[in-house]
Amino acid sequence: MLTQKFGNFFFKIRSFTPIPFILALLYFANPTWISVSISLLFITIGELLRIWSVGYAGGTTRATALGAARDLVTTGPYSYVRNPLYLGNLLLSIGVTLFTNVLWLIPILIIGYFIQYMPIIAVEEKYLSESCGQVYDKYQTEVSRFLPKFHSYSNQSHHDYSWSRALKSEKRTLTAIICVIGLILIRTAYHA
């Protein structure tokens, strides 16, 4: 199945696909105080959502193969939206794009994001349906993929939240955000 092949491929390389986009942001960056101020809201919300998510799911969210997760997490942010990490990624990416004030790249970002993540999500959902059966099927019908609901899932799992697990897992993301923003600021100062 083509979707499965694309999903597995994108799942394995998802940490590297932002590189061309980041290079475009660096090339065209022209931040303003307004763009930076608005971007910080998106970046903060996106990263807090990621920290909240990995505090429940753990560092296996960085795996390059399916089946590494602890088990089906339906508590915390997962009780409001099925893919809080991917939603956090989207908000972070929009935030960094806003930071550079290269607004014409936002539609390209969103299209590219869905081209990459929809096959990944399809493969993950198939895997979860096969491995968790009716438990996942019920969860899937009650909790949206991307648009959070205002009420939590009724049958939440008993996963615990761990700050140390969250921060350990997010070190790479936080480092990447700081490096990209630092490079943007250096590039902007150099071309001023």
Side-chain angles (χ1 to χ4, degrees), residues 46-67:
E47 185 52 33
L48 288 175
L49 182 55
R50 284 189 54 83
I51 289 171
W52 189 24
S53 301
V54 296
Y56 285 101
T60 55
T61 59
R62 296 212 177 273
T64 56
L66 289 173

Side-chain angles (χ1 to χ4, degrees), residues 3-15 17 112 115-120:
T3 302
Q4 177 124 9
K5 287 182 181 181
F6 278 125
N8 288 328
F9 173 73
F10 284 132
F11 190 86
K12 288 178 184 173
I13 67 160
R14 70 190 187 281
S15 294
T17 55
I115 287 172
Q116 175 175 326
Y117 280 102
M118 290 313 292
I120 291 172

Side-chain angles (χ1 to χ4, degrees), residues 82-159:
R82 289 196 320 259
N83 297 288
L85 281 169
Y86 297 153
L87 180 58
N89 288 347
L90 179 61
L91 293 171
L92 275 172
S93 300
I94 289 171
V96 172
T97 305
L98 287 169
F99 189 95
T100 64
N101 199 29
V102 185
L103 303 181
W104 59 268
L105 274 175
I106 291 176
I108 296 169
L109 164 74
I110 292 170
I111 291 167
Y113 178 88
F114 282 101
I115 287 172
Q116 175 175 326
Y117 280 102
M118 290 313 292
I120 291 172
I121 290 168
V123 169
E124 289 175 340
E125 288 177 346
K126 182 177 185 283
Y127 170 80
L128 289 169
S129 183
E130 290 170 357
S131 63
C132 300
Q134 291 180 344
V135 172
Y136 182 72
D137 295 339
K138 179 181 185 311
Y139 173 67
Q140 187 178 27
T141 60
E142 292 185 32
V143 179
S144 170
R145 265 188 190 145
F146 290 115
L147 298 174
K149 296 200 174 194
F150 292 108
H151 57 84
S152 62
Y153 180 57
S154 59
N155 193 19
Q156 294 183 28
S157 59
H158 296 287
H159 290 84

